[in-house]
Coordinates of all heavy atoms in Angstrom, one line a residue:
S29 N -43.3 -16.3 -69.5 CA -42.7 -15.3 -68.6 C -43.9 -14.5 -68.0 O -45.0 -14.6 -68.4 CB -41.9 -14.3 -69.4 OG -42.6 -13.5 -70.3
G30 N -43.6 -13.7 -67.0 CA -44.6 -13.0 -66.3 C -45.0 -11.7 -66.9 O -44.5 -11.3 -68.0
S31 N -45.9 -11.0 -66.3 CA -46.3 -9.7 -66.8 C -45.1 -8.7 -66.6 O -44.3 -8.8 -65.7 CB -47.5 -9.2 -66.0 OG -48.6 -10.0 -66.2
S32 N -45.2 -7.6 -67.4 CA -44.1 -6.6 -67.3 C -44.7 -5.2 -66.8 O -45.9 -4.9 -67.2 CB -43.5 -6.3 -68.7 OG -42.9 -7.5 -69.2
Y33 N -44.0 -4.6 -66.0 CA -44.5 -3.3 -65.4 C -43.4 -2.2 -65.6 O -42.2 -2.5 -65.8 CB -44.7 -3.5 -63.9 CG -45.8 -4.4 -63.6 CD1 -45.6 -5.8 -63.5 CD2 -47.1 -3.9 -63.4 CE1 -46.6 -6.6 -63.2 CE2 -48.2 -4.8 -63.1 CZ -47.9 -6.1 -63.0 OH -48.9 -7.0 -62.7
K34 N -43.9 -1.0 -65.6 CA -43.0 0.2 -65.7 C -43.3 1.1 -64.5 O -44.4 1.3 -64.1 CB -43.3 1.0 -67.0 CG -42.5 2.2 -67.2 CD -42.8 2.9 -68.5 CE -42.0 4.1 -68.7 NZ -42.3 4.8 -70.0
I35 N -42.2 1.6 -63.9 CA -42.4 2.5 -62.8 C -42.7 3.9 -63.3 O -42.0 4.4 -64.1 CB -41.2 2.5 -61.9 CG1 -40.8 1.1 -61.4 CG2 -41.4 3.4 -60.7 CD1 -41.9 0.4 -60.7
T36 N -43.8 4.5 -62.8 CA -44.3 5.8 -63.2 C -44.7 6.6 -62.0 O -44.2 6.3 -60.9 CB -45.6 5.6 -64.1 OG1 -46.6 5.0 -63.4 CG2 -45.3 4.8 -65.4
S37 N -45.6 7.5 -62.1 CA -46.1 8.3 -60.9 C -47.6 8.3 -61.0 O -48.2 8.2 -62.0 CB -45.6 9.8 -61.0 OG -44.2 9.8 -61.0
D38 N -48.2 8.4 -59.7 CA -49.6 8.5 -59.7 C -50.0 10.0 -59.7 O -49.1 10.8 -59.9 CB -50.2 7.7 -58.4 CG -49.7 8.4 -57.1 OD1 -49.2 9.5 -57.1 OD2 -50.0 7.7 -56.1
K39 N -51.3 10.3 -59.5 CA -51.8 11.6 -59.6 C -51.1 12.5 -58.5 O -51.0 13.7 -58.7 CB -53.3 11.7 -59.4 CG -54.0 11.3 -60.7 CD -55.5 11.5 -60.5 CE -56.2 11.2 -61.8 NZ -57.7 11.4 -61.6
K40 N -50.7 12.0 -57.4 CA -50.1 12.7 -56.3 C -48.6 12.8 -56.5 O -47.9 13.4 -55.6 CB -50.5 12.1 -55.0 CG -51.9 12.1 -54.7 CD -52.2 11.5 -53.4 CE -53.7 11.4 -53.1 NZ -54.1 10.7 -51.9
G41 N -48.0 12.3 -57.5 CA -46.6 12.3 -57.8 C -45.8 11.2 -57.1 O -44.6 11.2 -57.1
K42 N -46.5 10.3 -56.4 CA -45.8 9.2 -55.8 C -45.5 8.1 -56.8 O -46.2 8.0 -57.8 CB -46.8 8.5 -54.7 CG -47.0 9.4 -53.5 CD -47.9 8.7 -52.5 CE -47.3 7.4 -52.0 NZ -48.2 6.7 -51.0
R43 N -44.4 7.4 -56.6 CA -44.0 6.4 -57.5 C -45.0 5.3 -57.5 O -45.5 4.9 -56.5 CB -42.6 5.8 -57.1 CG -41.5 6.9 -57.0 CD -41.1 7.4 -58.3 NE -40.1 6.6 -58.9 CZ -39.7 6.7 -60.1 NH1 -40.3 7.5 -61.0 NH2 -38.7 5.9 -60.6
A44 N -45.3 4.8 -58.7 CA -46.4 3.7 -58.9 C -46.0 2.9 -60.1 O -45.0 3.1 -60.8 CB -47.7 4.4 -59.1
A45 N -46.7 1.8 -60.3 CA -46.4 0.8 -61.4 C -47.5 0.8 -62.4 O -48.7 1.0 -62.0 CB -46.2 -0.6 -60.8
K46 N -47.1 0.6 -63.6 CA -48.1 0.5 -64.8 C -47.9 -0.8 -65.5 O -46.7 -1.1 -65.8 CB -47.8 1.7 -65.7 CG -48.5 1.7 -67.0 CD -48.1 2.9 -67.8 CE -48.7 3.0 -69.1 NZ -48.2 4.2 -69.8
L47 N -48.9 -1.6 -65.6 CA -48.9 -2.8 -66.4 C -48.7 -2.5 -67.9 O -49.5 -1.8 -68.5 CB -50.1 -3.6 -66.2 CG -50.2 -4.9 -67.0 CD1 -49.2 -5.9 -66.6 CD2 -51.6 -5.5 -67.0
I48 N -47.5 -2.9 -68.4 CA -47.3 -2.6 -69.9 C -47.5 -3.8 -70.8 O -47.7 -3.7 -71.9 CB -45.9 -1.9 -70.1 CG1 -44.8 -2.8 -69.6 CG2 -45.9 -0.6 -69.4 CD1 -43.4 -2.3 -70.0
K49 N -47.3 -5.0 -70.2 CA -47.5 -6.2 -71.0 C -48.0 -7.4 -70.1 O -47.3 -7.7 -69.1 CB -46.2 -6.6 -71.7 CG -46.3 -7.9 -72.5 CD -45.0 -8.2 -73.2 CE -45.2 -9.5 -74.0 NZ -43.9 -10.0 -74.4
A50 N -49.1 -7.9 -70.3 CA -49.7 -9.0 -69.5 C -49.0 -10.3 -69.9 O -48.6 -10.5 -71.1 CB -51.2 -9.1 -69.7
K51 N -48.9 -11.2 -69.0 CA -48.3 -12.5 -69.3 C -49.2 -13.3 -70.2 O -50.4 -13.0 -70.3 CB -48.0 -13.3 -68.0 CG -49.3 -13.8 -67.3 CD -48.9 -14.6 -66.1 CE -50.1 -15.1 -65.3 NZ -49.8 -15.9 -64.2
N52 N -48.6 -14.2 -70.9 CA -49.4 -15.0 -71.9 C -49.9 -16.2 -71.3 O -49.3 -17.3 -71.4 CB -48.4 -15.3 -73.1 CG -49.2 -15.8 -74.3 OD1 -50.4 -15.7 -74.4 ND2 -48.5 -16.4 -75.2
A53 N -51.1 -16.1 -70.6 CA -51.7 -17.2 -69.9 C -53.2 -17.0 -70.0 O -53.7 -15.9 -70.4 CB -51.3 -17.2 -68.4
S54 N -54.0 -18.0 -69.7 CA -55.4 -17.9 -69.8 C -56.1 -17.0 -68.8 O -57.1 -16.4 -69.0 CB -56.1 -19.3 -69.7 OG -55.8 -19.9 -68.5
S55 N -55.4 -16.8 -67.6 CA -55.9 -15.9 -66.6 C -54.7 -15.0 -66.1 O -53.6 -15.5 -66.0 CB -56.6 -16.5 -65.5 OG -55.7 -17.3 -64.7
V56 N -55.0 -13.8 -65.8 CA -53.9 -12.9 -65.4 C -54.5 -12.2 -64.1 O -55.6 -11.7 -64.1 CB -53.6 -11.8 -66.5 CG1 -52.7 -10.7 -65.9 CG2 -53.0 -12.5 -67.7
T57 N -53.6 -12.0 -63.1 CA -54.0 -11.3 -61.9 C -53.2 -10.0 -61.9 O -52.0 -10.0 -62.0 CB -53.7 -12.1 -60.6 OG1 -54.5 -13.3 -60.7 CG2 -54.0 -11.3 -59.4
I58 N -53.9 -8.9 -61.8 CA -53.2 -7.6 -61.6 C -53.2 -7.3 -60.1 O -54.2 -7.1 -59.5 CB -54.0 -6.5 -62.3 CG1 -54.0 -6.8 -63.8 CG2 -53.3 -5.1 -62.1 CD1 -54.9 -5.9 -64.6
P59 N -52.0 -7.4 -59.5 CA -51.8 -7.2 -58.1 C -52.1 -5.8 -57.6 O -52.0 -4.9 -58.4 CB -50.4 -7.7 -57.8 CG -49.7 -7.3 -59.0 CD -50.7 -7.5 -60.2
A60 N -52.2 -5.7 -56.3 CA -52.4 -4.4 -55.7 C -51.0 -3.6 -55.7 O -51.0 -2.4 -55.9 CB -52.9 -4.5 -54.2
Y61 N -50.0 -4.4 -55.6 CA -48.6 -3.8 -55.7 C -47.6 -4.8 -56.3 O -47.9 -6.0 -56.3 CB -48.2 -3.2 -54.3 CG -47.9 -4.3 -53.3 CD1 -46.7 -5.0 -53.2 CD2 -48.9 -4.8 -52.5 CE1 -46.5 -6.0 -52.3 CE2 -48.7 -5.8 -51.6 CZ -47.5 -6.4 -51.5 OH -47.3 -7.4 -50.6
I62 N -46.5 -4.3 -56.7 CA -45.4 -5.1 -57.1 C -44.2 -4.8 -56.3 O -44.2 -3.6 -55.7 CB -45.1 -5.0 -58.6 CG1 -44.6 -3.6 -59.0 CG2 -46.2 -5.5 -59.5 CD1 -44.0 -3.5 -60.3
K63 N -43.3 -5.7 -56.1 CA -42.1 -5.4 -55.3 C -40.9 -5.6 -56.2 O -40.7 -6.6 -56.9 CB -42.1 -6.4 -54.2 CG -41.1 -6.1 -53.1 CD -41.2 -7.0 -51.9 CE -40.2 -6.6 -50.9 NZ -40.3 -7.4 -49.7
I64 N -40.0 -4.6 -56.2 CA -38.8 -4.6 -56.9 C -37.7 -4.3 -55.8 O -37.7 -3.2 -55.2 CB -38.7 -3.5 -58.0 CG1 -39.8 -3.8 -59.0 CG2 -37.3 -3.5 -58.7 CD1 -39.9 -2.7 -60.1
G65 N -36.9 -5.3 -55.6 CA -35.9 -5.2 -54.5 C -36.7 -5.1 -53.2 O -37.6 -5.9 -52.9
S66 N -36.4 -4.1 -52.4 CA -37.1 -3.9 -51.2 C -38.2 -2.9 -51.3 O -38.8 -2.6 -50.3 CB -36.1 -3.5 -50.1 OG -35.5 -2.2 -50.5
R67 N -38.4 -2.4 -52.5 CA -39.5 -1.3 -52.6 C -40.8 -1.9 -53.2 O -40.8 -2.8 -54.0 CB -39.0 -0.2 -53.6 CG -37.8 0.5 -53.0 CD -37.5 1.7 -53.9 NE -36.9 2.7 -53.1 CZ -36.6 3.9 -53.5 NH1 -37.0 4.3 -54.7 NH2 -36.0 4.7 -52.7
K68 N -41.9 -1.3 -52.7 CA -43.2 -1.7 -53.1 C -43.8 -0.5 -54.0 O -43.6 0.6 -53.6 CB -44.2 -1.9 -52.0 CG -44.0 -3.2 -51.3 CD -45.1 -3.3 -50.2 CE -45.1 -4.6 -49.5 NZ -46.2 -4.7 -48.5
Y69 N -44.4 -0.9 -55.1 CA -45.1 0.1 -55.9 C -46.5 -0.3 -56.1 O -46.8 -1.4 -56.6 CB -44.4 0.2 -57.3 CG -42.9 0.6 -57.1 CD1 -41.9 -0.4 -57.1 CD2 -42.5 1.9 -57.0 CE1 -40.6 0.0 -57.0 CE2 -41.2 2.3 -56.9 CZ -40.2 1.3 -56.9 OH -38.9 1.6 -56.8
S70 N -47.5 0.6 -55.8 CA -48.9 0.4 -56.1 C -49.1 0.3 -57.6 O -48.5 1.1 -58.4 CB -49.7 1.5 -55.5 OG -49.7 1.5 -54.2
V71 N -49.9 -0.6 -58.1 CA -50.3 -0.7 -59.5 C -51.5 0.2 -59.7 O -52.5 0.0 -59.1 CB -50.6 -2.2 -59.9 CG1 -51.0 -2.2 -61.4 CG2 -49.4 -3.1 -59.6
T72 N -51.3 1.3 -60.5 CA -52.3 2.3 -60.7 C -52.7 2.4 -62.2 O -53.7 3.2 -62.4 CB -51.8 3.7 -60.2 OG1 -50.6 4.0 -60.9 CG2 -51.5 3.6 -58.7
R73 N -52.0 1.8 -63.1 CA -52.3 2.0 -64.5 C -52.2 0.7 -65.3 O -51.4 -0.2 -65.0 CB -51.4 3.0 -65.1 CG -51.6 4.4 -64.6 CD -50.7 5.4 -65.3 NE -51.3 6.7 -65.1 CZ -50.6 7.7 -64.5 NH1 -49.4 7.6 -64.2 NH2 -51.2 8.9 -64.4
I74 N -52.9 0.7 -66.4 CA -52.8 -0.4 -67.4 C -52.6 0.2 -68.8 O -53.4 1.1 -69.2 CB -54.1 -1.3 -67.4 CG1 -54.3 -1.9 -66.0 CG2 -53.9 -2.4 -68.5 CD1 -55.6 -2.7 -65.9
Q75 N -51.5 -0.1 -69.4 CA -51.2 0.5 -70.7 C -52.2 0.0 -71.7 O -52.6 -1.2 -71.7 CB -49.8 0.2 -71.1 CG -49.4 0.8 -72.4 CD -47.9 0.6 -72.7 OE1 -47.1 1.1 -71.9 NE2 -47.5 -0.1 -73.7
A76 N -52.6 0.9 -72.7 CA -53.4 0.4 -73.8 C -52.8 -0.7 -74.5 O -51.6 -0.8 -74.7 CB -53.6 1.6 -74.8
K77 N -53.6 -1.7 -74.8 CA -53.1 -2.9 -75.5 C -52.1 -3.8 -74.7 O -51.3 -4.5 -75.2 CB -52.5 -2.6 -76.9 CG -53.6 -1.9 -77.8 CD -53.1 -1.7 -79.2 CE -54.1 -1.0 -80.0 NZ -53.8 -0.8 -81.3
A78 N -52.2 -3.6 -73.4 CA -51.3 -4.5 -72.5 C -51.6 -5.9 -72.7 O -50.8 -6.8 -72.4 CB -51.5 -4.1 -71.0
F79 N -52.8 -6.3 -73.1 CA -53.2 -7.7 -73.3 C -53.2 -8.1 -74.8 O -53.7 -9.2 -75.1 CB -54.6 -7.9 -72.7 CG -54.6 -7.8 -71.2 CD1 -54.9 -6.6 -70.6 CD2 -54.4 -8.9 -70.4 CE1 -54.9 -6.4 -69.2 CE2 -54.4 -8.8 -69.0 CZ -54.6 -7.6 -68.4
A80 N -52.6 -7.3 -75.6 CA -52.6 -7.5 -77.1 C -52.1 -8.9 -77.5 O -52.6 -9.5 -78.4 CB -51.9 -6.4 -77.8
K81 N -51.0 -9.3 -76.8 CA -50.4 -10.6 -77.2 C -50.6 -11.7 -76.1 O -49.9 -12.7 -76.1 CB -48.9 -10.4 -77.5 CG -48.7 -9.5 -78.7 CD -47.3 -9.4 -79.1 CE -47.2 -8.5 -80.3 NZ -46.1 -8.6 -81.1
S82 N -51.6 -11.5 -75.3 CA -51.9 -12.4 -74.2 C -53.0 -13.3 -74.6 O -53.9 -12.9 -75.3 CB -52.2 -11.6 -72.9 OG -52.6 -12.5 -71.9
K83 N -53.0 -14.5 -74.1 CA -54.1 -15.5 -74.3 C -55.2 -15.3 -73.2 O -56.1 -16.1 -73.1 CB -53.6 -16.9 -74.3 CG -52.7 -17.2 -75.4 CD -52.1 -18.6 -75.3 CE -51.1 -18.9 -76.4 NZ -50.5 -20.2 -76.2
A84 N -55.0 -14.3 -72.4 CA -55.9 -14.2 -71.2 C -57.4 -14.0 -71.6 O -57.7 -13.2 -72.5 CB -55.5 -13.0 -70.4
T85 N -58.2 -14.8 -70.9 CA -59.7 -14.6 -71.1 C -60.3 -14.2 -69.8 O -61.5 -13.8 -69.8 CB -60.3 -16.0 -71.6 OG1 -60.0 -17.0 -70.6 CG2 -59.8 -16.3 -73.0
K86 N -59.5 -14.2 -68.7 CA -60.0 -13.8 -67.4 C -58.9 -12.9 -66.8 O -57.7 -13.3 -66.8 CB -60.3 -14.9 -66.5 CG -61.5 -15.8 -66.9 CD -61.7 -16.9 -65.9 CE -62.9 -17.7 -66.4 NZ -63.1 -18.9 -65.6
V87 N -59.3 -11.8 -66.2 CA -58.4 -10.9 -65.5 C -58.9 -10.6 -64.1 O -60.1 -10.2 -64.0 CB -58.2 -9.5 -66.3 CG1 -57.3 -8.6 -65.5 CG2 -57.7 -9.8 -67.7
Y88 N -58.1 -10.9 -63.1 CA -58.4 -10.7 -61.7 C -57.7 -9.4 -61.3 O -56.5 -9.3 -61.3 CB -58.0 -11.9 -60.9 CG -58.7 -13.1 -61.3 CD1 -58.1 -14.0 -62.2 CD2 -59.9 -13.5 -60.7 CE1 -58.8 -15.2 -62.6 CE2 -60.6 -14.6 -61.1 CZ -60.0 -15.5 -62.0 OH -60.7 -16.6 -62.4
I89 N -58.5 -8.4 -60.9 CA -57.9 -7.1 -60.5 C -57.9 -7.0 -59.0 O -59.0 -7.0 -58.3 CB -58.6 -6.0 -61.1 CG1 -58.6 -6.1 -62.6 CG2 -58.1 -4.6 -60.6 CD1 -59.3 -5.0 -63.4
K90 N -56.7 -7.1 -58.4 CA -56.6 -7.0 -56.9 C -56.4 -5.6 -56.4 O -56.6 -5.3 -55.2 CB -55.4 -7.9 -56.4 CG -55.6 -9.3 -56.8 CD -56.8 -10.0 -56.2 CE -56.9 -11.4 -56.5 NZ -58.0 -12.0 -55.9
T91 N -56.0 -4.7 -57.3 CA -55.7 -3.3 -56.9 C -57.0 -2.5 -56.9 O -57.9 -2.8 -57.7 CB -54.7 -2.6 -57.8 OG1 -54.4 -1.3 -57.3 CG2 -55.1 -2.5 -59.2
K92 N -57.1 -1.6 -56.0 CA -58.3 -0.7 -56.0 C -57.8 0.7 -56.3 O -58.6 1.7 -56.2 CB -58.9 -0.7 -54.6 CG -59.5 -2.1 -54.3 CD -60.2 -2.1 -52.9 CE -60.7 -3.5 -52.7 NZ -61.3 -3.7 -51.4
K93 N -56.6 0.9 -56.8 CA -56.0 2.2 -57.1 C -55.9 2.5 -58.5 O -55.2 3.4 -58.9 CB -54.7 2.3 -56.4 CG -54.7 2.2 -54.9 CD -53.4 2.4 -54.3 CE -53.5 2.4 -52.8 NZ -52.2 2.8 -52.1
L94 N -56.6 1.7 -59.4 CA -56.5 2.0 -60.8 C -57.1 3.4 -61.1 O -58.2 3.7 -60.6 CB -57.2 1.0 -61.7 CG -56.6 -0.3 -61.9 CD1 -57.4 -1.2 -62.7 CD2 -55.2 -0.2 -62.5
L95 N -56.4 4.2 -61.8 CA -56.9 5.6 -62.1 C -57.9 5.5 -63.3 O -57.5 5.0 -64.4 CB -55.7 6.5 -62.5 CG -54.6 6.6 -61.5 CD1 -53.4 7.4 -62.0 CD2 -55.2 7.3 -60.2
S96 N -59.1 5.9 -63.1 CA -60.1 5.8 -64.0 C -59.8 6.5 -65.4 O -60.3 6.1 -66.4 CB -61.5 6.3 -63.5 OG -61.4 7.6 -63.1
D97 N -59.1 7.6 -65.3 CA -58.8 8.3 -66.6 C -57.8 7.7 -67.4 O -57.5 8.1 -68.5 CB -58.4 9.8 -66.3 CG -57.2 9.9 -65.5 OD1 -56.9 8.9 -64.7 OD2 -56.5 10.9 -65.6
V98 N -57.1 6.6 -67.0 CA -56.1 6.0 -67.8 C -56.4 4.5 -68.1 O -55.6 3.7 -68.5 CB -54.7 6.0 -67.1 CG1 -54.3 7.5 -67.0 CG2 -54.7 5.4 -65.7
Q99 N -57.7 4.1 -68.0 CA -58.1 2.8 -68.3 C -58.7 2.8 -69.7 O -59.9 3.0 -69.8 CB -59.1 2.2 -67.3 CG -58.5 2.1 -65.9 CD -59.5 1.6 -65.0 OE1 -60.2 0.6 -65.2 NE2 -59.7 2.2 -63.8
P100 N -58.0 2.5 -70.7 CA -58.6 2.5 -72.1 C -59.6 1.4 -72.2 O -59.3 0.3 -71.7 CB -57.4 2.4 -73.0 CG -56.3 1.7 -72.2 CD -56.6 2.2 -70.7
A101 N -60.6 1.7 -72.9 CA -61.7 0.7 -73.1 C -61.2 -0.6 -73.8 O -61.6 -1.7 -73.5 CB -62.8 1.3 -73.9
N102 N -60.2 -0.4 -74.7 CA -59.7 -1.6 -75.4 C -58.6 -2.3 -74.7 O -58.0 -3.3 -75.3 CB -59.2 -1.1 -76.8 CG -58.0 -0.2 -76.8 OD1 -57.7 0.3 -75.7 ND2 -57.4 0.0 -77.9
A103 N -58.2 -1.9 -73.5 CA -57.1 -2.6 -72.8 C -57.5 -4.0 -72.4 O -56.7 -4.9 -72.3 CB -56.7 -1.8 -71.5
Y104 N -58.8 -4.3 -72.2 CA -59.2 -5.6 -71.8 C -59.9 -6.4 -72.8 O -60.0 -7.6 -72.7 CB -60.2 -5.4 -70.6 CG -59.8 -4.4 -69.6 CD1 -60.4 -3.2 -69.4 CD2 -58.7 -4.7 -68.7 CE1 -60.0 -2.4 -68.4 CE2 -58.3 -3.9 -67.8 CZ -59.0 -2.7 -67.6 OH -58.6 -1.8 -66.6
S105 N -60.5 -5.8 -73.8 CA -61.3 -6.6 -74.8 C -60.5 -7.6 -75.5 O -59.4 -7.4 -75.9 CB -61.8 -5.5 -75.8 OG -62.9 -6.1 -76.5
P106 N -61.0 -8.8 -75.7 CA -62.3 -9.4 -75.3 C -62.2 -10.2 -74.0 O -62.5 -11.4 -74.0 CB -62.6 -10.3 -76.5 CG -61.2 -10.8 -76.9 CD -60.3 -9.7 -76.6
I107 N -61.7 -9.6 -72.9 CA -61.4 -10.3 -71.7 C -62.5 -10.1 -70.7 O -63.1 -9.0 -70.6 CB -60.1 -9.8 -71.1 CG1 -59.0 -10.1 -72.1 CG2 -59.8 -10.4 -69.8 CD1 -57.7 -9.4 -71.9
S108 N -62.8 -11.1 -69.9 CA -63.8 -11.0 -68.8 C -63.1 -10.5 -67.5 O -62.1 -11.1 -67.1 CB -64.4 -12.3 -68.4 OG -65.1 -12.8 -69.6
L109 N -63.5 -9.4 -67.0 CA -62.9 -8.9 -65.7 C -63.5 -9.6 -64.5 O -64.7 -9.7 -64.4 CB -63.1 -7.4 -65.6 CG -62.4 -6.6 -66.8 CD1 -62.7 -5.1 -66.6 CD2 -60.9 -6.8 -66.8
M110 N -62.7 -10.0 -63.6 CA -63.2 -10.7 -62.4 C -62.8 -9.9 -61.2 O -61.7 -9.3 -61.1 CB -62.5 -12.1 -62.4 CG -62.6 -12.9 -63.7 SD -64.2 -13.1 -64.3 CE -64.7 -14.5 -63.4
P111 N -63.7 -9.9 -60.2 CA -63.4 -9.1 -59.0 C -62.3 -9.8 -58.1 O -62.0 -10.9 -58.3 CB -64.7 -9.0 -58.2 CG -65.5 -10.1 -58.8 CD -65.0 -10.4 -60.2

C-alpha cells in the first residue's frame, strides 16, 4: 500500500498534509503536495517514526515546504535522504 497522510494546518493556518506512515518500499518519495478529491494539500510535516515500519533506505523529498521545527531527527534514521 502507499504512504498515509493526515490533513493538518501549516504555520499560517492553511490546510496542509502530514506524512504519518511511509509506504513499505525500498525508496519513498515525499511529494510537494497530495491530492484528495479535487483539493491539493502541501506536504509540510513528517510525523516522528513515520518510517518505523518501512523498508525504505532512500527518501526523495520533492517538497520545499517542510517545517524545520517539526522534523524529528529520528524520523529518517537509518535512511539516506535524496534531493
Side-chain angles (χ1 to χ4, degrees):
S29 75
S31 297
S32 299
Y33 294 86
K34 179 179 180 180
I35 303 305
T36 62
S37 298
D38 65 11
K39 285 185 174 181
K40 296 178 184 175
K42 290 178 64 177
R43 304 291 272 164
K46 173 181 177 178
L47 175 68
I48 58 171
K49 182 181 175 189
K51 70 179 180 176
N52 194 15
S54 61
S55 69
V56 174
T57 299
I58 300 172
Y61 66 89
I62 62 167
K63 192 171 180 180
I64 299 174
S66 62
R67 293 189 157 190
K68 283 184 176 180
Y69 300 95
S70 294
V71 178
T72 60
R73 294 186 160 121
I74 299 172
Q75 181 170 301
K77 299 186 181 181
F79 292 90
K81 297 187 180 199
S82 175
K83 295 178 185 175
T85 56
K86 294 181 183 177
V87 176
Y88 298 91
I89 300 177
K90 300 297 182 182
T91 184
K92 295 180 180 174
K93 295 184 178 186
L94 284 179
L95 300 174
S96 60
D97 62 331
V98 294
Q99 295 179 50
N102 66 345
Y104 312 111
S105 198
I107 297 167
S108 301
L109 298 178
M110 312 303 277

